[in-house]
């Protein structure tokens, strides 16, 4: 009997090809959009991340003019909960010279803020300084400048895309004010953190300035935000598709009232009738999703190739677990959408009615 049902399902696809062509097109558009958007979002995120980190560094949060209590608290809290993933450093501001900001940066700031020496060398003693490209318009390499009665030699010129850093870099660790930079946010739901200073538990309020081109290296935050955005986008599109498929399936089955009553009249059970119609729809759905996957790969490849011209890197990675998950979601949504009208139609055919219209099996059998 299963062979007969398979043959009937294939025959019905040919017989109602206009309906199934519409279903195929709808599912093709949906699956193409979902697959391509998932591939684009994942890979474009990595392309942008690599480009921005190579340009602005890996810093994500900044606390301007941090006080000693906040500094102590955030260091203890970071060591207790994020010691394996957090990187942070301080920028010491020491005053001004000729309208140029003087300061000292810790070693980790070079990578966090992408500070590169493009000419000369690193500082080796307290009488040497580095200058940025703005200062280099007025001073040359190995020039000497006098700051507060002391002579300093320019030994290097640095380059950085970050604006809140000093113009002149010394080797002195004194400071008037201090800024904190980190590659992640340690906050959860509010602006407060609690830590044990060795004697008592303290609570301090944290106010971050965020890097507009930065990325939170707290993977929990990243994964939650990424999953939320993708699910929201996919959910909206799937909901619309469910309504469209439901309407198409219901309309198609209304046109097959006599046929379904005839199948019941010649002895087909409700389960067999449901299986036949289900096979018709699932077969079309599978091929639509498969073709949509292939088109989605091509579309995402083309789009990411164009974007690679802007971000100077090309990344294209596909997760087979993600593909399998999306295929199962699309197939499940299709199954649920067509299950209700198919079950209703098959059950109504059992008692000889369909959408409040009564049919006598014998009359249907002998009617031309």
């Amino acid at each position: 009997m299963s062979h007969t049902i398979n043959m009937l399902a294939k025959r019905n696809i040919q017989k109602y090809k206009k309906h199934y062509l519409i279903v195929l097109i709808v599912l093709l558009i949906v699956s193409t959009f979902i697959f391509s958007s998932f591939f684009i979002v994942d890979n474009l995120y990595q392309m942008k991340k690599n480009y921005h980190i190579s340009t602005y560094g890996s810093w994500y949060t900044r606390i301007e003019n941090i006080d000693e209590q906040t500094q102590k608290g955030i260091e203890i809290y970071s060591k207790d909960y994020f010691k394996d993933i957090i990187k942070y450093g301080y920028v010491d501001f020491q005053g001004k010279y000729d309208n140029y900001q003087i300061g000292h940066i810790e070693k980790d700031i070079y990578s966090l803020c992408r500070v590169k020496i493009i000419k000369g060398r690193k500082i080796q003693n307290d009488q040497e300084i580095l200058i940025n490209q703005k200062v280099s318009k007025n001073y040359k390499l190995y020039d000497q400048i006098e700051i507060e009665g002391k002579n300093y030699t320019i030994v290097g010129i640095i380059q950085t895309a970050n604006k809140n850093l000093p113009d002149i870099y010394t080797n002195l660790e004194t400071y008037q004010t201090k800024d904190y930079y980190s590659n992640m946010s340690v906050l959860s739901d509010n602006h407060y953190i609690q830590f044990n200073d060795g004697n008592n538990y303290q609570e301090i309020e944290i106010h971050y300035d965020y890097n507009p081109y930065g990325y939170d290296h707290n993977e929990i935050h990243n994964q939650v935000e990424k999953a939320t955005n993708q699910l929201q986008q996919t959910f909206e599109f799937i909901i619309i598709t469910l309504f469209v498929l439901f309407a198409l399936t219901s309309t198609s089955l209304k046109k097959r009232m006599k046929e379904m009553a005839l199948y019941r009249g010649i002895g087909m059970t409700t389960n067999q009738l449901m299986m036949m119609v289900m096979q018709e729809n699932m077969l079309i759905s599978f091929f639509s999703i498969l073709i949509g996957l292939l088109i989605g790969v091509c579309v995402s490849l083309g789009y990411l190739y164009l974007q690679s011209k802007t971000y100077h890197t090309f990344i294209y990675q596909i997760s087979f677990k993600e593909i399998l998950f999306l295929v199962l979601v699309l197939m499940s949504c299709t199954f649920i959408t067509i299950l209700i009208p198919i079950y209703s139609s098959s059950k109504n055919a059992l008692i000889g009615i369909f959408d409040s219209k009564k049919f006598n099996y014998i009359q249907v059998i002998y009617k031309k």
Side-chain angles (χ1 to χ4, degrees), residues 281-292:
N281 286 273
M282 296 309 291
L283 187 62
I284 293 296
S285 301
F286 177 77
F287 281 107
S288 300
I289 294 170
L290 182 61
I291 297 171

Side-chain angles (χ1 to χ4, degrees), residues 6-274:
N6 293 336
M7 294 297 295
L8 285 172
K10 293 178 181 178
R11 189 211 63 159
N12 289 335
I13 292 175
Q14 292 289 331
K15 183 177 180 181
Y16 302 103
K17 58 184 177 182
K18 180 183 285 188
H19 163 74
Y20 284 116
L21 181 61
I22 297 174
V23 173
L24 187 145
I25 293 173
V26 170
L27 284 174
L28 186 61
I29 294 173
V30 173
S31 56
T32 299
F33 172 81
I34 291 177
F35 284 119
S36 60
S37 63
F38 263 74
F39 299 155
I40 288 173
V41 168
D42 285 347
N43 291 291
L44 187 59
Y45 173 85
Q46 291 298 327
M47 288 167 58
K48 287 183 176 180
K49 181 177 179 180
N50 288 357
Y51 173 75
H52 288 147
I53 288 178
S54 67
T55 304
Y56 300 97
S58 59
W59 78 276
Y60 178 66
T61 57
R62 170 176 169 262
I63 302 177
E64 185 178 2
N65 194 13
I66 188 171
D67 58 76
E68 292 184 2
Q69 178 72 0
T70 303
Q71 179 181 343
K72 179 181 179 181
I74 203 167
E75 287 182 1
I76 294 174
Y77 188 84
S78 299
K79 184 178 180 180
D80 290 342
Y81 297 101
F82 304 102
K83 63 179 180 180
D84 294 329
I85 58 176
I86 192 169
K87 291 183 179 180
Y88 62 88
Y90 297 95
V91 177
D92 300 330
F93 291 96
Q94 302 163 337
K96 288 189 175 182
Y97 168 78
D98 196 18
N99 292 324
Y100 295 125
Q101 183 69 59
I102 306 171
H104 168 267
I105 63 174
E106 294 184 353
K107 183 179 179 181
D108 287 335
I109 295 295
Y110 281 91
S111 60
L112 281 170
C113 297
R114 194 64 176 174
V115 179
K116 299 184 294 183
I117 299 177
I118 56 175
K119 286 184 180 180
R121 59 174 174 80
K122 295 180 179 180
I123 295 175
Q124 296 179 350
N125 56 64
D126 293 348
Q127 285 71 48
E128 295 178 343
I129 58 173
L130 302 173
I131 60 174
N132 64 15
Q133 290 175 298
K134 181 174 69 173
V135 182
S136 68
K137 294 178 181 179
N138 298 321
Y139 298 93
K140 297 180 181 179
L141 203 60
Y142 304 116
D143 281 352
Q144 287 194 343
I145 60 176
E146 184 179 337
I147 303 175
E148 297 182 352
K150 296 182 180 180
N151 291 324
Y152 296 90
T153 303
I154 300 172
V155 297
I157 299 174
I158 64 98
Q159 179 186 58
T160 180
N162 294 287
K163 298 180 179 180
N164 297 310
L165 296 178
D167 302 310
I168 300 173
Y169 297 77
T170 73
N171 199 40
L172 306 175
E173 296 185 5
T174 60
Y175 67 91
Q176 296 176 358
T177 61
K178 178 179 289 192
D179 288 358
Y180 164 90
Y181 286 82
S182 173
N183 67 338
M184 59 176 287
S185 169
V186 299
L187 300 177
S188 52
D189 297 330
N190 53 47
H191 294 283
Y192 293 88
I193 61 172
Q194 292 182 337
F195 65 96
N196 190 337
D197 63 359
N199 298 316
N200 300 299
Y201 274 97
Q202 304 286 337
E203 183 178 78
I204 57 174
E205 187 175 8
I206 303 295
H207 292 284
Y208 281 131
D209 292 323
Y210 293 95
N211 181 359
Y213 305 103
Y215 294 85
D216 195 347
H217 286 67
N218 188 334
E219 289 301 322
I220 296 176
H221 292 172
N222 278 338
Q223 291 174 2
V224 170
E225 182 179 0
K226 177 182 173 182
T228 301
N229 293 336
Q230 288 184 332
L231 287 175
Q232 181 180 0
Q233 186 181 38
T234 304
F235 179 77
E236 292 173 354
F237 213 79
I238 284 180
I239 288 298
I240 297 173
T241 307
L242 290 178
F243 281 110
V244 173
L245 288 178
F246 185 86
L248 285 173
T249 305
S250 299
T251 303
S252 173
L253 292 175
K254 286 181 181 180
K255 296 179 180 179
R256 299 171 63 176
M257 293 184 297
K258 293 182 180 180
E259 176 190 356
M260 296 185 73
L262 178 58
Y263 285 138
R264 289 298 295 121
I266 60 177
M268 184 176 283
T269 65
T270 303
N271 289 338
Q272 291 171 341
L273 190 59
M274 287 181 61

